Amino acid sequence: MLGLVSAKTTPNATPQHVSFPQNDNCIHKKGYETPSPLLKRTPSPSFAKPKIKPPNKTLQELRTHESSLDNPDLGPFLLKLAIDTVASGDDHNKALDYAARASISFEKSSGPGRDLAMSLQVEAAIYCSMGRLEDAIPVLKRSIEALDHKNGSDHAVAKFSGFMQLGDTYSMLGRVDRSISSYESGLKIQTETLGDWDPSVAETCRYLAEAYVQAMQFDEAEKLCQRSLEIHRVHNAPASLEEAGDRRLMALIYEAKGDYESALEHLVLASMVMIAAGQENEVAAIDVSVGNIYVSLCRFDEAIFSYQKALTVFKSIRGDDHSTIASVYIRLADVYCKTGKLRESKSYCENALRIFSKPVRGSATEEIASGLTEISAIYQALNEHVEALKLLDMAMKLLKDTPGQHSMIAGIEAHMGVMFYKVGRYGEARSSFKNAVAKLRASGETRSVFFGIVLNQMGLASAQLYRIDEAAQLFQEAREILEQECGSCHLDTIGVYSNLAATYDAMGRVEDATVILEYILKLREEKLGTANPEVADEKERLAMLLKEAGRARIRKGNSLVNLLDSSS
């Protein structure tokens, strides 16, 4: 009967969690990375912030008047105390208390304005350093509301900084849509203040483009990156380092869009600039990106050559035990797995795991977790499912107490769900998918392709557990998202249509299933032609349904076992 099918783009093969390494602490490759994780971003661009000059009085003199927080000298002094306390590494709670009292003093003494906004932004930064990201959000919103960027450049500077800081905080919380909205507001103010062609605008455009890449909105990312490239060409000599940075991001965007030749072109141009500037480390990072493109083009020998070049340079600069070395080992393991050299693949995986087991000081937790997830996917391809699940569990534990990693954890949980499903542990698969869906909903990522695919996978697990109504609801929601994001003719969308038809058939809703199958058949005929084997299969499925529809009043519900395609 009607078979349920897994969407082609499973959670362990989503478009790369796209990070753009300005330094090379993270090297990512399409295929085995954690889906939709938090970007390792460069510091957000900003104007030069105005300084608040503290009064020339002692703390004891000010404390005698502290009972009256409208003392105009008190706010600047408390704010300086807060900043100095953080810089010295002292108690952050004490620094937060100073900053909060400074904000109250500014509000009482001078009302809304630049000084109050700057104080609130310092207060929010302390909240973030303490991991209290949710508490920082309303403080930053207050700082933005306290300003009118039309009141001069000082107000514009502070308001721009507030929007960028708010965007960074949302990003750390995994709320990508709100993060992008904040960055866009900051870019608008910066453009109105400095003009369209200021170099600072280029930096903000590139920063916003990185956020769009993270959200997998590649067309918007390309427009902004192109704008940054054009501004840098106006203000810099040909083949500048700024232009090279833009080209590396542009290559990442083209790779995600499947335009590998254009991606290679940008990487070659960026590499030439870095070679001329003597930036060996950056050249090696670009070699890794070039290797990634070659893998996508199935030019595996060239990919191995690029990775080995990068590996030699990284070892000479960073030593044999740096996490960057482990990242290149994973790339090589991936290539050897794809080419059937399984012994070599597993050897490189073991080398990477050796480095991750004893990380050097300063290694980022999320980078190690991402690496473990990638190795897990390779072990999965090697049919070592127990070891693969163990590595995913290790990655989850690493990220458990790390602020702002909900999206990355959701990706790992979705990956675990796929693996549980493949080995027939459907209850655990459904639980993993359910946790991933909850985290993605909480972080506002409910309109992404990845979210639609996870819903589809959860629907498959629910169907296997005979939760037919739940499966139908999940397939319906997945269909709406994938129709909007991918279009009705995309293979993932068609796969969800097929799953929904099978579920309707199992529920006895033969007419609804027939309508969907007729629609699928029409799409496949238009896309593949009437002689294609897949079209013939759809015709056969539709014929069976139409035959049953003629005796729908007396038909018995199909066993779901008969509805499941073994290939799913």
Side-chain angles (χ1 to χ4, degrees):
M1 272 304 176
L2 304 187
L4 297 180
V5 295
S6 174
K8 301 290 184 183
T9 312
T10 54
N12 62 303
T14 50
Q16 67 259 34
H17 101 220
V18 280
S19 102
F20 176 58
Q22 295 293 333
N23 52 39
D24 305 303
N25 293 330
C26 59
I27 300 172
H28 300 289
K29 167 68 179 67
K30 184 176 181 179
Y32 290 125
E33 62 287 351
T34 306
S36 191
L38 190 66
L39 269 174
K40 289 187 176 179
R41 303 289 300 283
T42 52
S44 59
S46 64
F47 297 119
K49 289 188 177 182
K51 295 181 179 179
I52 300 176
K53 186 177 179 180
N56 188 23
K57 292 186 179 181
T58 66
L59 177 60
Q60 187 62 38
E61 289 174 318
L62 287 168
R63 277 180 171 165
T64 60
H65 302 286
E66 194 170 333
S67 58
S68 175
L69 285 173
D70 56 2
N71 179 354
D73 290 333
L74 187 61
F77 201 99
L78 288 171
L79 184 58
K80 184 177 185 300
L81 275 178
I83 295 171
D84 290 346
T85 302
V86 171
S88 64
D90 288 343
D91 185 4
H92 277 45
N93 286 309
K94 185 187 295 184
L96 182 62
D97 178 59
Y98 287 141
R101 286 154 60 198
S103 298
I104 295 171
S105 178
F106 280 125
E107 193 164 21
K108 285 180 173 291
S109 63
S110 56
R114 185 206 65 177
D115 290 350
L116 172 60
M118 296 295 293
S119 180
L120 289 168
Q121 288 171 25
V122 170
E123 185 180 341
I126 297 171
Y127 274 126
C128 290
S129 68
M130 298 170 70
R132 297 170 60 180
L133 302 175
E134 292 285 359
D135 292 328
I137 297 293
V139 177
L140 286 169
K141 288 182 177 179
R142 279 183 61 205
S143 81
I144 292 168
E145 292 166 359
L147 295 158
D148 184 351
H149 64 280
K150 296 179 181 178
N151 286 344
S153 61
D154 282 353
H155 278 246
V157 168
K159 194 156 190 171
F160 167 83
S161 298
F163 274 121
M164 298 307 290
Q165 191 175 342
L166 180 61
D168 287 344
T169 307
Y170 276 133
S171 181
M172 288 187 285
L173 285 167
R175 300 176 189 171
V176 181
D177 52 343
R178 296 187 183 184
S179 172
I180 288 175
S181 177
S182 299
Y183 294 145
E184 286 176 335
S185 297
L187 177 61
K188 182 179 179 182
I189 290 173
Q190 189 182 44
T191 303
E192 289 176 1
T193 306
L194 301 178
D196 291 331
W197 294 93
D198 190 272
S200 299
V201 173
E203 297 306 315
T204 307
C205 285
R206 189 162 72 190
Y207 196 76
L208 178 54
E210 292 177 6
Y212 271 120
V213 169
Q214 181 189 354
M216 291 187 283
Q217 298 180 36
F218 300 115
D219 290 336
E220 294 299 324
E222 182 181 354
K223 292 175 187 176
L224 283 161
C225 191
Q226 184 62 42
R227 182 177 169 189
S228 177
L229 188 58
E230 290 169 358
I231 296 172
H232 280 141
R233 282 175 176 170
V234 170
H235 292 280
N236 298 290
S240 65
L241 292 176
E242 291 79 7
E243 181 181 330
D246 292 336
R247 291 194 182 280
R248 291 173 67 182
L249 179 56
M250 191 69 84
L252 187 64
I253 294 167
Y254 279 129
E255 181 186 2
K257 295 175 73 172
D259 187 353
Y260 302 119
E261 297 297 338
S262 296
L264 269 178
E265 180 183 342
H266 281 285
L267 286 173
V268 169
L269 291 171
S271 182
M272 292 169 62
V273 174
M274 294 301 179
I275 291 171
Q279 299 285 332
E280 289 186 355
N281 195 60
E282 300 298 323
V283 173
I286 294 172
D287 282 335
V288 172
S289 298
V290 169
N292 296 344
I293 302 293
Y294 282 141
V295 170
S296 298
L297 293 170
C298 298
R299 293 160 61 175
F300 299 119
D301 289 340
E302 292 165 283
I304 291 172
F305 178 73
S306 292
Y307 291 145
Q308 291 289 4
K309 278 176 58 184
L311 193 61
T312 301
V313 174
F314 284 143
K315 283 185 175 182
S316 67
I317 296 175
R318 302 183 177 184
D320 293 339
D321 297 322
H322 196 275
S323 57
T324 304
I325 307 299
S327 298
V328 183
Y329 283 151
I330 296 170
R331 304 279 64 75
L332 287 163
D334 176 30
V335 176
Y336 283 120
C337 181
K338 284 180 166 65
T339 54
K341 297 179 179 179
L342 305 186
R343 182 179 298 178
E344 291 87 342
S345 177
K346 192 169 181 180
S347 175
Y348 277 115
C349 285
E350 290 169 352
N351 288 337
L353 288 171
R354 175 183 54 79
I355 294 173
F356 288 144
S357 66
K358 296 180 180 179
V360 297
R361 187 175 181 180
S363 298
T365 300
E366 58 269 25
E367 184 179 352
I368 296 172
S370 178
L372 292 173
T373 306
E374 294 175 11
I375 297 171
S376 169
I378 297 174
Y379 274 117
Q380 181 183 346
L382 297 172
N383 291 320
E384 297 192 19
H385 298 293
V386 174
E387 187 64 27
L389 282 168
K390 187 189 299 182
L391 291 170
L392 289 176
D393 188 59
M394 288 171 59
M396 287 273 291
K397 289 177 179 176
L398 278 174
L399 294 171
K400 185 177 180 181
D401 298 321
T402 306
Q405 296 297 330
H406 294 295
S407 295
M408 191 171 183
I409 294 172
I412 295 173
E413 288 175 325
H415 194 160
M416 293 178 76
V418 171
M419 295 187 63
F420 282 133
Y421 186 91
K422 287 186 175 181
V423 298
R425 294 161 64 176
Y426 302 120
E428 291 166 285
R430 177 183 172 274
S431 179
S432 291
F433 288 132
K434 185 177 180 180
N435 291 337
V437 166
K439 287 182 176 63
L440 292 170
R441 287 193 195 279
S443 62
E445 296 184 49
T446 56
R447 305 310 302 175
S448 68
V449 175
F450 176 64
F451 184 69
I453 289 167
V454 176
L455 288 172
N456 178 69
Q457 301 288 7
M458 184 177 172
L460 291 172
S462 298
Q464 292 282 7
L465 295 168
Y466 297 93
R467 295 172 172 264
I468 309 302
D469 291 339
E470 179 181 271
Q473 292 175 3
L474 291 164
F475 290 142
Q476 286 166 356
E477 187 177 358
R479 178 186 63 177
E480 292 173 5
I481 294 170
L482 293 177
E483 275 182 338
Q484 180 176 339
E485 300 300 322
C486 302
S488 58
C489 295
H490 194 276
L491 289 177
D492 287 347
T493 310
I494 292 173
V496 176
Y497 285 146
S498 184
N499 292 341
L500 188 57
T503 307
Y504 283 158
D505 186 31
M507 297 169 71
R509 296 170 57 179
V510 179
E511 292 297 332
D512 292 332
T514 301
V515 170
I516 293 176
L517 276 184
E518 286 175 337
Y519 180 65
I520 295 173
L521 181 58
K522 179 183 176 183
L523 290 177
R524 289 196 184 278
E525 284 181 337
E526 292 175 355
K527 192 173 184 66
L528 303 174
T530 57
N532 189 279
E534 291 185 23
V535 175
D537 290 342
E538 297 293 354
K539 285 182 178 178
E540 184 178 350
R541 297 170 74 199
L542 181 58
M544 293 173 70
L545 264 188
L546 290 172
K547 183 178 179 180
E548 290 183 5
R551 53 184 176 86
R553 289 177 180 269
I554 59 172
R555 91 188 263 279
K556 296 179 180 180
N558 285 309
S559 168
L560 193 61
V561 173
N562 297 326
L563 295 174
L564 295 175
D565 185 349
S566 60
S567 65
S568 69

